[in-house]
């Protein structure tokens, strides 16, 4: 092998080594972000990917930019920090350090999309957020204690009346995905968002019901219900539990 060939080979090896080191750095930052964001299955649910896929990414599987963006959003860190890391800090830490804190108000991410109290509400920008600013004094303790994991969603439809009405704003705890029988949850089905009441049957089946008697309940077999937790709920995922609502009381 001549000198030029040896040099080309050395450069290729250095390029591969640099790429491997960059991948390892991203994996380490992803592990840190997921660890700080809560349970692994909850992160996968918020990102809309199977829990098994997240396990693969944490193990070193190549991470596409689109998936990295969803995981960064689900973990509350910036895509820049996850992809590059150097001279950067997680998004939430950066925002808190650069912006003066207003203790009289709180900001809650608001899904750009609606949760359907019906058969499903299409939300093309389900991973995008606006922000709701609200006075701290107007919120109950259960909301204030969960601010770091809350998102707000607008309700569309009447299937959950009289508990929830069309145009109500509901606050959803994205880290509270364990099903409590009789509680209300926001579900993500592909590009649809649904708000429904979930209950376990004595046989282990999952009952998905509406509060409006005009809508019939649906039943998910125990085997399929387990997939909500064991495989990240793909293509159906639990976004989180509804803990509070804002809206006008009474029928509309």
């Amino acid at each position: 092998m001549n000198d030029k060939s040896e040099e080309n080979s050395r450069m290729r090896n250095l390029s591969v080594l640099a790429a491997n080191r960059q991948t390892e750095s991203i994996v380490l930052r992803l592990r840190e972000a997921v660890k700080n964001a809560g349970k692994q299955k909850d992160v996968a649910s918020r990102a809309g990917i199977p829990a098994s896929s997240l396990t693969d990414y944490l193990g070193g599987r190549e991470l596409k930019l689109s998936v990295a963006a969803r995981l960064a959003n689900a973990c509350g860190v910036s895509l820049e920090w996850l992809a590059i890391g150097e001279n950067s800090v997680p998004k939430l830490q950066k925002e808190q350090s650069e912006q003066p804190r207003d203790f009289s108000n709180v900001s809650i991410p608001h899904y750009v999309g609606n949760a359907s109290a019906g058969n499903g509400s299409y939300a093309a920008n389900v991973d995008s957020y606006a922000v709701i600013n609200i006075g701290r004094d107007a919120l109950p303790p259960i909301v204030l204690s969960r601010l770091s994991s809350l998102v707000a969603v607008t309700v569309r439809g009447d299937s959950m009346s009289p508990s929830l009405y069309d145009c109500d704003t509901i606050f959803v705890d994205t880290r509270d995905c364990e099903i409590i029988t009789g509680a209300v949850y926001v579900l993500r089905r592909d590009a649809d968002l649904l708000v429904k009441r979930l209950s376990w049957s004595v046989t282990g089946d999952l009952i998905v019901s509406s509060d409006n008697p005009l809508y019939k309940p649906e039943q998910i077999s125990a085997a399929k219900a387990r997939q909500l937790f064991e495989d990240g709920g793909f293509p159906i995922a639990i976004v989180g539990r509804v803990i509070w609502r804002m809206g006008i009381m009474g029928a509309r």
Side-chain angles (χ1 to χ4, degrees):
M1 182 180 294
N2 57 39
D3 292 342
K4 185 175 182 180
S5 297
E6 291 180 354
E7 179 65 16
N8 289 337
S9 177
R10 187 175 70 86
M11 293 302 294
R12 285 195 297 270
N13 291 337
L14 287 175
S15 178
V16 171
L17 180 60
N20 289 340
R21 286 178 176 174
Q22 182 180 15
T23 299
E24 291 173 359
S25 298
I26 293 175
V27 170
L28 291 175
R29 287 192 293 275
L30 178 60
R31 290 173 182 172
E32 178 186 348
V34 171
K35 180 179 179 181
N36 293 333
K39 295 181 180 179
Q40 184 172 321
K41 64 180 179 180
D42 294 341
V43 172
S45 177
R46 292 197 297 272
I49 64 173
S52 57
S53 295
L54 178 55
T55 299
D56 291 341
Y57 293 133
L58 293 172
R61 174 182 169 186
E62 182 181 358
L63 191 62
K64 294 183 179 180
L65 183 61
S66 59
V67 178
R70 294 164 69 178
L71 285 170
N73 185 61
C75 293
V77 301
S78 69
L79 178 58
E80 178 188 9
W81 176 81
L82 183 59
I84 302 174
E86 296 179 0
N87 301 320
S88 183
V89 294
K91 178 176 64 177
L92 294 183
Q93 295 179 12
K94 185 175 182 180
E95 291 175 350
Q96 290 172 358
S97 63
E98 292 181 352
Q99 299 179 3
R101 297 186 64 183
D102 182 357
F103 290 97
S104 63
N105 291 281
V106 296
S107 297
I108 298 174
H110 188 194
Y111 262 128
V112 179
N114 306 309
S116 173
N119 296 320
S121 179
Y122 181 70
N125 295 319
V126 73
D127 285 327
S128 300
Y129 296 97
V131 174
I132 290 180
N133 294 307
I134 187 170
R136 183 178 293 269
D137 292 342
L139 299 174
I142 190 172
V143 174
L144 294 174
S145 66
R146 304 186 182 203
L147 290 176
S148 62
S149 57
L150 287 187
V151 295
V153 182
T154 301
V155 175
R156 294 297 183 192
D158 65 349
S159 75
M160 288 303 293
S161 64
S163 299
L164 301 173
Y165 291 99
D166 186 54
C167 295
D168 277 353
T169 297
I170 54 177
F171 289 176
V172 182
D173 186 349
T174 59
R175 291 187 182 177
D176 192 348
C177 295
E178 298 288 343
I179 295 177
I180 301 173
T181 293
V184 178
Y185 296 81
V186 169
L187 309 176
R188 179 176 178 173
R189 183 183 60 197
D190 294 327
D192 292 339
L193 288 179
L194 297 166
V195 55
K196 296 294 178 182
R197 195 174 298 279
L198 303 181
S199 303
W200 292 112
S201 71
V202 293
T203 60
D205 293 349
L206 184 62
I207 309 300
V208 182
S209 60
S210 304
D211 288 0
N212 187 334
L214 296 178
Y215 294 81
K216 295 182 179 180
E218 298 181 45
Q219 189 163 327
I220 301 175
S221 69
K224 289 186 177 180
R226 282 196 298 271
Q227 294 178 4
L228 287 172
F229 306 99
E230 295 176 357
D231 197 25
F234 192 82
I236 299 175
I238 298 175
V239 176
R241 183 162 69 95
V242 178
I243 63 169
W244 201 60
R245 65 170 286 276
M246 292 193 305
I248 300 173
M249 297 298 294
R252 300 182 182 178

